[in-house]
């Protein structure tokens, strides 16, 4: 078939195209989905091999684990070649993980089904286990298909994996008590952080005055119990989306959907034009561009990127929401952002996601942006402001086997890069009614123009849009932006209204044990 795929760092896939299997080396946490995959039409199962490094399952401190979100796309060769989301069984016992070394039932991982069938979580198990996950043979059970294709035994499948971290249920503080203004969570005129408890989640936090000092700083409509405040458990992407996984997204779209995204740069930037670009070439980016031209209104283009391990920039809210819907994930709220960073710990004024007020801007050796294996010099704090060669840094670049949380730039739960490489796009802010946003995850189906269609999600980014950016981007020297509780952009910003180099994509998935 026409889509020759490439495996990329941390968000990894394999593709079955007839009898061809494309595999390549990955970097950093070395998530690899490989082996000799098999589709059993009789059993309606897919079997593949996977492994990844630097994994954990601990029952003290964060009391959490990491895992991989696995989802499947399917294509009927005899139809219009549309890729659709393949549902998986909602019963965990229908899926299986075995040790590749001896085919015994795995003692390293388990496979957790999800209620909507959009994928499965392959998660680390054990008590205080830290290290690499050896090769596992995973079998997932298929159930139903998207009605836009008629399934056949000769169909193509893409198996995609995204590394994630479980953030367990529990109370936490939103805001760090700096001041009762729009740059912080603090109820009414008080300067104390707002504690998010089970009762508060169950009842809904209500008026903006319950979490900010003025109605001008929050949602104009009371936030109900259905709005995710972060108390309940959820999975969060360990890193921002890479250019590699974004290639899977844009290469699975129809021609018209691709064109809708590309023409944001101008009507001449089309999928039937060689070199047409999703992001600006040679400007803080790696240039995701058309390699094999499409046929107008009919056949999709194939996009490439020379650095599939790097962070994908130029993600407006529209692109972020579409990617997350396609993946079966959802946007996070700004409450969940703070929970993922701080955990249940007591707040520290002006703290960064790594739990310290220390940050280093200079006197470091920057990574060679063409080489994902090159390393930063680790000093007394993580770095988000580095080389002027742009949004090219390897996700998790500061994390090594010898680094502590501060040096690695890790949150309480082990999530990386929440203060950069790029701004995190969240649901929240002021001036827009986002009270209808819920824990509903994406359904894998997009509109005819390639946009998300999940009810309750803000449609567009920008000022007073119901979206707020948190964290920072790597070439910014405004340190306050990177602080966990900073709400400088509470009113929204044009930086995620359209395609700007500042914003990336990180999603979550509602899931409670």
């Amino acid at each position: 078939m026409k889509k020759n795929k490439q495996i990329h760092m941390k968000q990894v896939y394999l593709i079955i195209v007839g009898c061809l299997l494309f595999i390549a080396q990955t970097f950093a946490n070395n998530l690899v989905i490989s082996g000799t995959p098999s589709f059993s039409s009789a059993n309606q199962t897919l079997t593949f091999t996977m492994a990844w490094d630097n994994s954990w399952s601990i029952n003290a401190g964060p009391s959490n684990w990491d895992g991989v979100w696995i989802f499947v796309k399917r294509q009927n060769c005899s139809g219009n070649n549309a890729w659709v989301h393949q549902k998986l069984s909602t019963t965990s016992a229908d899926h299986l993980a075995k040790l590749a070394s001896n085919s015994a039932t795995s003692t390293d991982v388990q496979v957790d089904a999800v209620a909507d069938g959009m994928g499965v979580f392959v998660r680390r198990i054990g008590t205080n286990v830290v290290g690499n996950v050896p090769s596992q043979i995973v079998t997932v059970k298929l159930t139903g298909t998207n009605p836009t294709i008629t399934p056949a035994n000769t169909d193509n499948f893409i198996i995609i994996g995204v590394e994630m971290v479980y953030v367990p249920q529990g109370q936490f503080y939103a805001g760090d008590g700096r001041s009762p203004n729009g740059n912080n969570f603090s109820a009414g005129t008080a300067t104390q952080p707002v504690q998010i408890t089970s009762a508060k989640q169950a009842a809904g936090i209500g008026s903006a005055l319950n979490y900010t000092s003025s109605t001008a700083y929050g949602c104009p409509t009371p936030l109900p119990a259905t709005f995710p405040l972060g108390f309940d458990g959820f999975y969060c992407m360990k890193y921002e989306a890479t250019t590699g996984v974004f290639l899977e997204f844009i290469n699975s779209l129809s021609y018209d959907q691709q064109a809708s995204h590309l023409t944001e740069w101008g009507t001449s930037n089309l999928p039937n034009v060689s070199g047409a670009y999703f992001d600006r070439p040679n400007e803080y980016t790696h240039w995701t561009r058309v390699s094999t031209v499409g046929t107008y209104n009919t056949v999709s283009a194939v996009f490439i990127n020379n650095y599939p391990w790097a962070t994908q920039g130029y993600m407006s809210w529209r692109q972020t929401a579409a990617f997350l819907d396609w993946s079966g994930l959802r946007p996070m709220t700004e409450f969940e952002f703070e929970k993922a960073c701080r955990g249940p710990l007591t707040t520290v004024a002006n703290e960064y996601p790594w739990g310290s007020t220390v940050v280093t801007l200079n006197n470091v050796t920057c990574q060679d942006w063409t080489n994902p294996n090159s390393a930063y010099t680790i000093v007394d704090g993580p770095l988000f402001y580095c080389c002027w060669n742009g949004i090219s840094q390897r996700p998790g670049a500061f994390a090594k086997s010898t680094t502590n949380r501060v040096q690695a730039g890790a949150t309480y739960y082990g999530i990386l890069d929440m203060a950069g490489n790029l701004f995190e796009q969240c649901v929240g802010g002021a001036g827009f009614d986002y009270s209808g946003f819920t824990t509903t995850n994406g359904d894998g189906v997009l509109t005819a123009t390639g946009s998300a269609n999940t009810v309750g999600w803000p449609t567009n980014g920008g000022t007073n849009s119901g979206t707020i950016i948190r964290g920072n981007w790597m070439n910014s020297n405004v340190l306050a932006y990177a602080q966990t509780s900073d709400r400088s952009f509470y009113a929204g910003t044009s930086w995620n209204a359209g395609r700007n180099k500042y914003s990336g994509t990180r999603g979550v998935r509602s899931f409670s044990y």
Side-chain angles (χ1 to χ4, degrees), residues 65 118 229 262 485:
W65 51 83
M118 292 299 295
L229 297 174
L262 264 61
S485 293

Side-chain angles (χ1 to χ4, degrees), residues 56 61-65 164-175 185 194 196 228-240 330-345 347 351-356 405 409-419 424-426 470-471 482-485 506-509:
W56 72 89
S63 299
N64 76 329
W65 51 83
M164 303 194 78
V165 174
Y166 188 63
V167 177
Q169 183 184 80
Q171 61 188 32
F172 70 101
Y173 289 98
F185 283 129
V194 177
I196 305 299
L229 297 174
F231 176 84
D232 295 326
F234 60 93
Y235 273 96
C236 179
M237 287 173 61
K238 192 184 290 185
Y239 316 94
E240 292 164 324
R330 66 168 174 84
M332 71 176 114
T333 68
E334 58 174 327
F335 290 96
E336 290 172 318
F337 173 87
E338 293 208 21
K339 167 74 172 290
C341 290
R342 180 177 293 121
L345 300 181
T347 60
E351 67 185 320
Y352 296 97
W354 46 87
S356 165
R405 176 186 168 190
T411 74
Y412 178 81
Y413 294 107
I415 301 164
L416 295 169
D417 303 327
M418 291 288 261
E424 307 288 343
Q425 300 187 68
C426 306
R470 292 290 202 109
Q483 292 167 356
T484 297
S485 293
R506 188 193 309 261
V508 301
R509 182 170 175 89

Side-chain angles (χ1 to χ4, degrees), residues 60-125:
S63 299
N64 76 329
W65 51 83
D66 75 330
V68 180
W69 170 241
I70 297 288
F71 60 101
V72 177
K73 298 292 180 176
R74 184 170 189 162
Q75 180 193 55
N76 186 311
C77 291
S78 63
N80 61 5
N81 290 331
W83 287 97
V84 300
H85 204 95
Q86 169 66 60
K87 293 289 190 74
L88 304 181
S89 172
T90 59
T91 302
S92 294
D94 285 343
H95 311 293
L96 180 64
K98 293 184 176 182
L99 298 172
S101 59
N102 58 16
S103 296
T105 300
S106 178
T107 55
D108 299 313
V109 301
Q110 67 184 44
V111 184
D112 294 338
V114 298
D116 60 5
M118 292 299 295
V120 295
F121 283 106
V122 179
R123 54 157 288 199
R124 188 65 182 262
I125 57 175

